[in-house]
């Protein structure tokens, strides 16, 4: 921009291809909202807004499954506990959800995104020596991260969400609905992590949703974005349950338990 | 609690009926997660977590429609603009969504909840003089609020989401899938607001989703909670689009437009 | 605005008297920033931005004392615990502080604001029958709130911050630096709450800061605003300490303690 | 932890050296709160909580100056604009501040932290060839970042906060109150950036506060933490001003200016 700014500059500053909202008009990705209401599912509109067109039934099925799989992991999850505490402090459900969702950062909400990046590196050698590629990528990632994203779980020996998600992706790949490259990459990494170990390190929910989102063509950062949409559901359910119990200023432990003081006296 | 606190007290402090998460076990409302993945839609698991059991197909259809209707209202909506600005500041999509969702307070996200409360007052006289009830309730609310929640729109003459949502609820009521009390209450209020006016004040999207959630048996605060889940989708789509444009520290207007200074010199 | 919008409309949309920021110019409330740096304390600039001019030394002393008094209340305070949990989730200190500060709502952060409103009602009868006014106001508030804001503490018999803050306000009133009306109102309420009780209900830190902010002429909502600035310090200190301990995804209790499940099996 | 968890494990989970809060006791870093109120300034208690002991007068003077310098940069700053918009949406000042503070991420709030890291690399060669060290460090950083943190400003030719902060640090170094290593490093980088350029790239407020915090011995992440405390003041002042104007759901531009739509028709 040079010279005097114009109103057009201001309009352009907020240019968007997501939606057109004018008096009496709401279009999402070029489709009038009145055509979507009643014909499109919630998951379908998530796909539409993020991708620009409607999903196929096979794509939608995988997306729904991935979104369902991450909704909740109980009050041990900081995002859940925080929302429960927040709602007892006199803020609305919107604020409680915000405080919880905000914590889905690199550690709590980023494993899916990171796993997609890692698997994408393996997929580049798909069709050649996949096990070799997996070994090499795993070894490279191990040098810079403490925990390999998407594999193993500090709580579950085998994540109960592994089997049903794996079945769905295998079925979709067998039916030609998806390519299968991320699936093969994840299986190769899982094989690699089992070599010479008494206790395997199976792929977990973050890894499986990374596979699903990778097969569906989402870029890695949207693995986190979609996880946020999913986990918001559990956050809301827990915050709402807590709101019904009437506590005020709920701390992390009962008032009778004092934190250990370890400073100077 | 009297006497020494016990570990059981700590467990009870975090008691929940939403989910059971133990090593190798994840159950949502008593249902193993592996049975839900692949068989339940995202909207279905939203219902399950909030209500404790699965929705009927008729209930799910209305819920999907309401969730679809509120996903986006463009960059004029503070929640959308804020998320777009936030993502240019070097925080993740989780943080951008949190900053946006947080603003869905009483004014930006509370109209559905308030409208449900208002309509609930009218429904108590369902079966008797509904128009009289509507007149009375409207008059009482007018004395304490500046804008009647759920009716009229500062932007749209007729909200384009009105017709399709209204059709769906009428159809559901005609088919006996829902009771219809909130629908009749909303229609009575709309009639009341048209009396003696050149320009009617039709029910808007907040009012229609209030009708849907009321017919489905949700308590008023969950109208806001569900709106948060819905709007999060548009917030994510806009934040993601903005992230792709590479701006840094995006302000509300181009840098060449300076805010008017109206303080002392 | 009628007709076509202009760039001036956009500038006016963001009009402010707080600061003037133009190329090579930063003025706060009309004062060049370069004159403030090195001459004004942090508390002084807080006063300047909120009030439009510099505080007197007596005003600043009271403001500093009130800001110091609320910085921290340990990990039992949801705002503190939440920030500690948040920082282990892979978000920056800005995000951890935001998640914590966000919870300073009506219950966790609103007592000072509410107490100012209550005391303001008593001050209107200052100079006449203050004990009668206190009795009447207390009785009216008791009918609508569960806990009288600013009096009593669920944790402390006598809030250790009561004596030093009370001394400072009394001294300031005796020296003519403040009017004393909020002080007299608070003392009258405290007397009223002691009548016929074995265990008194002394004014707490929220009540005392309400007295200070009232004497200093701040409107009630800024009691909450100033509390946010104060508590942010403790939130930062705790988040920083937690960050140094290297935990990942810290939940509210050790992983070995499971939440009680109270739903269907 | 092995075997059954105990209540002591829960207390230890929340161990802290920041404060001791027990019935009728509040100690900050080992000092009873009643001794701090009235004797310690707000900036002094910030130092105490973050560092564990009281600052010297010289240290406090620099800390106050740095905190004063970053409080506000007008509505062009996303953190300020967001808080103004948020407060019109029906959330409290705590929520508006949270939405704003949350955006002080790597881009909007991280320059000070990054600049400290960069200068720390230069300081390691303090006493030897500082200009050579600066050249080398600048060249290395240039390869991985688009903008050198702490130098240059997209808005100001010379940041008006540069001179007063620089004077204060030089004076403190000359008086032996601080070591001066960060100051010399920043001067060397500034010299390096002027070589062969018509238009110099002077150190900006983020760079100068990085120098101050470095001289004072703060670790780099606290440069961001302290910036959050500082900017919260301007965020509060702007949110409060906006709250007084009565707008509802303030978007980034007047309703009459529509965002450019650039999607499919």
């Amino acid at each position: 921009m040079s010279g005097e700014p114009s109103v057009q500059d201001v309009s352009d500053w907020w240019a968007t291809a997501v939606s057109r909202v004018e008096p009496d008009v709401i279009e999402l990705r070029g489709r009038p909202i009145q055509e979507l209401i009643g014909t499109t599912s919630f998951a379908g509109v998530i796909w539409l807004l993020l991708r620009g067109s409607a999903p196929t039934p096979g794509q939608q099925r995988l997306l729904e499954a991935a979104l369902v799989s991450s909704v909740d992991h109980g009050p041990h999850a900081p995002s859940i506990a925080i929302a429960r505490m927040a709602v007892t402090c006199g803020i609305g459900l919107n604020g409680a959800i915000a405080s919880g969702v905000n914590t889905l950062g690199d550690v709590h909400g980023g494993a899916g995104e990171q796993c997609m990046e890692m698997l994408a590196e393996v997929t580049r050698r798909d069709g050649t020596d996949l096990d070799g590629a997996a070994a090499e990528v795993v070894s490279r990632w191990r040098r810079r991260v403490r925990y390999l994203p998407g594999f193993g779980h500090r709580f579950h020996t085998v994540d109960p969400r592994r089997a049903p998600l794996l079945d769905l992706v295998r079925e979709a790949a067998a039916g030609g609905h998806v390519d299968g490259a991320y699936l093969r990459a994840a299986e190769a990494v899982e094989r690699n992590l089992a070599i010479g170990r008494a206790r395997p390190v199976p792929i977990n929910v973050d890894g499986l949703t990374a596979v699903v989102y990778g097969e569906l063509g989402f870029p890695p950062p949207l693995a986190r974005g979609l996880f946020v949409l999913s986990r918001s559901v559990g956050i809301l359910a827990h915050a709402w349950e807590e709101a019904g119990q009437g506590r005020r200023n709920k701390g992390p432990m009962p008032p009778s338990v004092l934190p250990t003081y370890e400073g100077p006296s």
Side-chain angles (χ1 to χ4, degrees), chain A:
Chain A
M1 261 168 282
S2 69
E4 288 299 299
S6 69
V7 168
Q8 188 60 45
D9 294 335
V10 180
S11 291
D12 291 350
W13 188 249
W14 287 100
T16 178
V18 175
S19 55
R20 192 161 75 89
V21 178
E22 294 175 10
D24 296 334
V25 174
I26 300 176
E27 289 174 10
L28 305 182
R29 297 289 184 185
R31 302 201 44 197
I33 187 105
Q34 54 271 36
E35 292 179 11
L36 297 169
I37 295 171
T39 63
T40 307
S41 71
F42 188 41
V45 90
I46 292 173
W47 182 288
L48 174 67
L49 278 194
L50 293 175
R51 303 295 287 271
S53 59
T56 64
Q59 289 170 331
Q60 177 161 338
R61 193 171 179 223
L62 284 178
L63 177 61
E64 303 260 19
L67 289 169
V68 164
S69 68
S70 311
V71 287
D72 189 15
H73 205 258
H76 265 300
S79 52
I80 298 290
I82 284 172
R84 293 190 74 122
M85 292 165 75
V87 86
T88 71
C89 296
I91 62 175
L93 286 170
N94 54 304
I97 295 172
S99 272
V101 157
N102 202 32
T103 65
L104 300 175
D106 286 350
V107 174
H108 191 16
E113 177 175 353
Q114 295 147 23
C115 184
M116 270 183 84
E117 288 164 1
M118 186 176 74
L119 296 180
E121 295 178 21
V122 179
T123 61
R124 271 168 228 141
R125 300 242 305 258
D126 192 28
T128 66
D129 173 20
L130 208 56
D131 283 298
E136 192 188 298
V137 169
V138 164
S139 146
R140 199 170 349 107
W141 276 68
R142 276 258 165 81
R143 282 196 292 273
R144 60 183 195 83
V145 298
R146 208 161 123 201
Y147 299 95
L148 217 55
F151 291 82
H153 203 286
R154 64 174 182 172
F155 205 76
H156 305 295
T157 325
V158 180
D159 192 311
R161 296 160 291 192
R162 179 184 174 278
L165 283 170
L166 206 47
D167 287 351
L168 284 168
V169 187
R170 282 174 179 159
E171 198 183 306
H177 301 301
V178 298
D179 172 89
Y182 278 86
L183 172 63
R184 290 186 293 274
E187 289 170 329
V189 170
E190 202 179 50
R191 276 195 303 276
N192 177 270
L193 296 176
I195 295 171
R197 274 173 202 261
R199 206 185 154 197
V201 186
I203 189 162
N204 63 28
V205 71
D206 297 314
L208 258 320
T209 51
V211 168
V212 169
Y213 296 139
E215 294 294 344
L216 294 176
F218 285 98
L222 285 184
R224 189 186 313 197
L226 290 164
F227 176 59
V228 168
L229 298 187
S230 172
R231 180 52 59 90
S232 295
V233 178
I235 288 174
L236 170 59
H238 278 277
W240 175 240
E241 182 187 55
E242 184 73 48
Q245 293 172 357
R247 278 206 192 100
R248 290 164 59 92
N249 293 331
K250 175 179 178 148
M253 48 196 166
S256 55
V257 182
L258 294 180
T260 302
Y261 176 66
E262 54 186 19
S265 59

